Structure formats: C-alpha cells, structure tokens
Amino acid sequence: MLIKNGLVFNPTTNFMQQADILIKDGKIVKIESNINDSSENIIDASGKWVVPGLIDMHTHFRDPGFEHKEDITSGCNAALKGGFTTVCCMPNTNPVIDNKCIVTYINSISEKTGLNLLIAGAITKGLKGESLANIGEMAFLPNVCGFSDDGKTVMNSKLMKTAMNYIKPFGLPIFSHTEDHSFSGGAMNAGQNAQLFGIKGIGREAEEIIVARDIILARETGCKLHLSHISTKGSLDLIHMAKTVWGMTNLTAETAPHYFSLDDSLLGDYDTNKKMNPPLRTKSDVEAIKEGLKSGIIDVIATDHAPHHYDEKNVEFENAPFGVVGLETSFAISYTNLVRTGILTPLELIEKMSTRPAQILNQDSGKIEVGSVADITIIDTEKAYKINKSEFLSKGKNTPFDGMEVYGNIEYTIVNGQIFYQSANTYTNRKYLFKLSNKTELPLSKKLCV
Ligand code: DOR
Ligand code: ZN
C-alpha cells in the first residue's frame, strides 16, 4: 500500500510534513517526499492528516453480560469508524473480567475484527473491593495491558496499596477510577446549578480525595498509576504537585472530550445523555482542563465510551445510568474544540490521542516511522459536518453531541497495513461501501488510484 501526498504526523520526533508512506507486510518501509510504486494500491491523501492510529485507553464494551448495550464486535466496529486502531476495554462486565477465562473469551472475538483490543483486568474479584482478582494469571495473557476496577474505586486503601505492590513487578499500570463512594448518590456536579435544577450533587472532593490517596500510594509503592477521567481543577493541582514537586514519573492522567467541551450549566434540559461519572463540572473546571491539556499535566484524551440502551437512559435524570458514548465523536470534538481554537497544536493533539497512550500501554505503536507497525488513521480536517447518532456503528446512541457541527472526519483506519474502515466519502462510486470485521483488505475505488 502506498499513501501519497498526506500531511504525515510523528509526534515522537515532532515531524509534521507532506510525505508519501510505503507499507509492506504490515510495516512502514519508506517515508519520503515522493515515492512511486505502481505495484501497490494507492491512497491519495492530498490535503488530509495521516496520523499514527488513534488509541483509546478507556472504553466499555459491555460484553459479556450487557450485549444489548454493546458487544465486542459492535464496539470494535465503532472504534474503527472513530479512527482507533487500538482500544483498551474496562472490566465492568458480567461476569467481570477478573480471570483467564473471560480474557480468553474477549480475545477470541476481537481477533476477528481487525482492531487491537487490549484489556484491563479487574483489580479485585468481581469488582467487589474485597480481595485481589487473579492478577498474576491475567498479567501474562495476550492483550492484558493493565488493571482497573473502573466504574468503582477500591475503597480499602490498604488493599489498594497491596494491589500496587503486587502489580508493580509486572510493569503494568493501574487505571484508577477516582471516586470516593462515601460521597456517591448524586446525579450531577454539586453546586449552584445542581441547586437551581433540583438535582442532588456529587462534590468534586469525591474525585480529589481518591486522586490524592492514589498519588500517595503510587509514590510509596512505585507502581505505575494512570488516573482516569479527570474532571476538576483540584485534581489537576494535585497531579501537578505530584509530577513537579514530588517528581513522580510513574504517574499519568487522562480526561475525556465531554470534560473540556461541556459544563453543568447545560443540564437544565435534564438530558440524560449529558449524565456521566464523574459529572460535567463548572465552566472554570472546563477552562482548567484545557490548560492542563496544554501544559501536559494531562497526558491523554480517552473516550470513556460508556454505551447504554435507549430505554435505560429514557428515564428521570436521577434514575438514568451514568455514561456517554464517545468512540465515534472523540476525534472531531477534540480537534474542533482544542485545535481549531488554538489551544493545542495538531501534533499535541495526536500525541494525546495516540503516542502517549501507546507509551503508557507499552504498545509499539503511536508513531509513524520506518520499521514501525502500519497502524495509521487518515483524517479530513477541513470539511464541516454534523454529528448524526443514527449513523453510529455503536449500539449506544447516548451522545451529548448529536447534531453538533464539527470538523475532523475519519476517512481511513488502517491496522497492520490493512484498511479496516473506509469512509463512504472516499468513494466516488457509492456502491463500494466499507465492510467491517472480515479481516480482508477492502477494494479501493479505481477512481482513487493515481
Ligand atoms: O459514566 C461512567 N460510566 N463512568 C464510569 O466510570 C463507568 C461508566 C459505565 O460503565 O457506564
Ligand atoms: Zn470508565
């Protein structure tokens, strides 16, 4: 395969230049200003971004147990459509991903989809917070990339410290959910707006107490700690302190697009598609999150893709489950709100959506270099379009961004040198629609070949 004339990104070397990329046997073999090879399929990427495949560190695929919300195949297809070549799924399934059997089940399905599906094993058995899961058994299985009780916090601090001590020698990170459950029970951010709308609040201290605790435990144990879905200014201050004053290099953090795009003043419509955990915070938190992304206090943008069925969300705000989908909107929301507004440079965005996640997850991807695996996403950043949830491949349509005008359309998702998603926009002849989940290369429209 030959990708011609695209704007090629490699955040690891600060490279952003028009170039051609030659791919053979799943690897990048040449990156030069003009490559000609008539024996190869050619993608004309003129005017497009050619970036290392996007990597999502935090997604919920609901399978096994809640397949009416999402199953592994629909989730993988949604990820590929969103430009992701690697995704890490969280263990709050039923049964919980806390043993070899469930990991093997997930691997057996995901290997047919094309996506690199990584798995976060549970820290505690059944996510109950009582005793450690079969961590040693899971740590050596293919695609297990870390451990988390996401959706829940391991509330017993001593058990969390034991988990860190136990996991550290495996070199894998813990992804911490950061919520003190003694403050649970609310439905939106505590504060003026919660009072105005008459909804019980969740204070920012619920997040910040566990951020502080887990930083202290990670400093003590040396275990790699990744703080999930950071949403408050106070959390940023704590992470900043840990990274700069304490010099912690084993600490990373993520936020999600809704935390830098939306705030709690928007909840007056009681739209349950804006309900997630942690909740949308205030305008000043949103500004702080943007600054934290710019300064590098926050390393990663993840989706926290949390699909729920329409019937589950179509209830009173207080009774709806927490969570919004994100795989098919994450790039466009991030690009539109962070790059087109001048907050992040294009390279900084790709670093947070691919290169840093690859490093944290110990993956040999997240870069476009000769010799590296050909996981590549091609993106049209110039044409505006409206997000339309009915076009999602995810079973979950619970997005707060439906109807929003954005920039950043995913045109191709290439994994291991094979096209697994191709936008209908790229075909001049509409009858060639993309086909997913068959692990075969898609036919390129002749008209696209130059
Ligand atoms: O909003 C959320 N939804 N936050 C979480 O931490 C869990 C997730 C889910 O699983 O639905
Ligand atoms: Zn989550």
Side-chain angles (χ1 to χ4, degrees):
M1 181 190 296
L2 180 56
I3 304 172
K4 280 199 76 76
N5 301 320
L7 184 61
V8 176
F9 286 58
N10 188 33
T12 51
T13 54
N14 262 327
F15 179 90
M16 193 176 96
Q17 227 168 273
Q18 191 181 313
D20 296 351
I21 302 175
L22 183 63
I23 296 164
K24 284 190 195 292
D25 301 325
K27 293 254 173 195
I28 295 171
V29 293
K30 217 191 247 188
I31 306 170
E32 280 172 17
S33 58
N34 186 17
I35 306 173
N36 289 306
D37 189 333
S38 56
S39 65
E40 293 290 336
N41 276 331
I42 295 172
I43 295 177
D44 178 10
S46 307
K48 309 283 158 63
W49 284 18
V50 179
V51 307
L54 305 181
I55 300 178
D56 183 22
M57 291 188 62
H58 189 151
T59 195
H60 297 269
F61 277 174
R62 311 299 194 200
D63 185 353
F66 308 104
E67 295 86 348
H68 65 288
K69 298 175 195 262
E70 192 83 286
D71 60 45
I72 294 165
T73 307
S74 64
C76 289
N77 287 346
L80 290 165
K81 188 169 181 214
F84 293 97
T85 53
T86 299
V87 155
C88 170
C89 65
M90 291 293 145
N92 59 342
T93 50
N94 185 18
V96 167
I97 310 174
D98 61 5
N99 64 74
K100 183 175 178 174
C101 181
I102 311 294
V103 171
T104 309
Y105 161 76
I106 294 172
N107 281 337
S108 72
I109 300 181
S110 68
E111 70 184 14
K112 299 186 193 103
T113 70
L115 187 79
N116 295 312
L117 183 60
L118 305 177
I119 299 168
I123 300 171
T124 67
K125 275 192 189 131
L127 305 181
K128 289 200 172 92
E130 291 165 0
S131 58
L132 293 188
N134 295 339
I135 289 168
E137 176 187 272
M138 289 188 282
F140 295 106
L141 296 175
N143 298 321
V144 172
C145 65
F147 293 93
S148 179
D149 268 9
D150 187 69
K152 287 186 177 167
T153 292
V154 179
M155 281 303 295
N156 182 322
S157 303
K158 193 169 170 207
L159 184 61
M160 187 63 165
K161 185 177 173 192
T162 305
M164 287 190 183
N165 275 325
Y166 190 69
I167 290 167
K168 187 191 166 197
F170 297 114
L172 298 176
I174 284 186
F175 313 116
S176 171
H177 171 77
T178 63
E179 176 188 7
D180 183 329
H181 292 299
S182 50
F183 294 97
S184 300
M188 67 175 281
N189 182 48
Q192 266 181 4
N193 284 313
Q195 283 182 350
L196 191 64
F197 305 143
I199 295 175
K200 191 162 178 240
I202 309 169
R204 36 170 61 69
E205 65 275 17
E207 174 174 320
E208 292 159 6
I209 286 170
I210 301 298
V211 166
R213 182 201 72 171
D214 285 355
I215 286 171
I216 291 166
L217 294 178
R219 184 197 196 205
E220 189 66 24
T221 61
C223 183
K224 288 182 187 164
L225 172 67
H226 178 77
L227 298 168
S228 300
H229 41 56
I230 289 303
S231 70
T232 77
K233 175 161 184 339
S235 294
L236 288 165
D237 292 341
L238 291 163
I239 299 164
H240 182 240
M241 186 283 295
K243 285 185 173 182
T244 56
V245 182
W246 285 358
M248 284 175 70
T249 53
N250 56 334
L251 175 68
T252 53
E254 78 186 27
T255 192
H258 33 275
Y259 299 120
F260 55 77
S261 313
L262 306 170
D263 65 72
D264 67 350
S265 70
L266 303 170
L267 289 169
D269 60 2
Y270 303 101
D271 179 2
T272 60
N273 291 328
K274 294 185 203 132
K275 180 179 176 183
M276 72 292 288
N277 192 15
L280 297 179
R281 304 288 186 185
T282 63
K283 286 189 170 65
S284 67
D285 290 299
V286 170
E287 288 314 306
I289 295 287
K290 289 181 191 168
E291 279 164 30
L293 282 161
K294 182 71 195 170
S295 68
I297 297 174
I298 296 187
D299 304 81
V300 166
I301 298 171
T303 68
D304 199 2
H305 177 80
H308 292 292
H309 191 272
Y310 174 80
D311 291 346
E312 295 162 317
K313 278 288 200 181
N314 190 27
V315 294
E316 304 78 13
F317 195 85
E318 282 87 344
N319 294 330
F322 291 102
V324 295
V325 287
L327 284 169
E328 291 164 89
T329 53
S330 179
F331 180 81
I333 295 294
S334 303
Y335 169 71
T336 305
N337 290 329
L338 298 175
V339 177
R340 288 189 82 92
T341 53
I343 294 164
L344 292 188
T345 65
L347 269 171
E348 284 168 341
L349 179 68
I350 299 306
E351 190 178 25
K352 290 184 196 303
M353 294 191 73
S354 178
T355 309
R356 288 295 285 137
Q359 290 161 351
I360 296 164
L361 299 171
N362 298 312
Q363 299 297 299
D364 191 26
S365 49
K367 55 194 177 192
I368 294 189
E369 286 170 9
V370 171
S372 71
V373 62
D375 285 358
I376 292 174
T377 305
I378 302 179
I379 308 167
D380 176 354
T381 53
E382 291 308 312
K383 218 171 13 210
Y385 68 97
K386 280 202 170 128
I387 291 174
N388 180 354
K389 65 181 179 185
S390 67
E391 290 173 358
F392 288 174
L393 297 182
S394 169
K395 289 186 188 178
K397 314 295 174 197
N398 48 313
T399 175
F401 299 117
D402 191 41
M404 208 169 268
E405 184 167 278
V406 289
Y407 292 84
N409 189 49
I410 307 300
E411 303 249 301
Y412 294 86
T413 307
I414 298 164
V415 191
N416 250 314
Q418 286 192 45
I419 300 170
F420 279 98
Y421 170 74
Q422 181 167 3
S423 154
N425 293 351
T426 62
Y427 291 101
T428 44
N429 182 343
R430 276 236 162 198
K431 86 177 181 230
Y432 292 95
L433 279 176
F434 58 84
K435 199 168 165 221
L436 294 162
S437 304
N438 61 359
K439 274 220 160 186
T440 52
E441 183 122 6
L442 296 157
L444 282 175
S445 162
K446 291 237 165 18
K447 296 205 174 113
L448 271 181
C449 299
V450 287

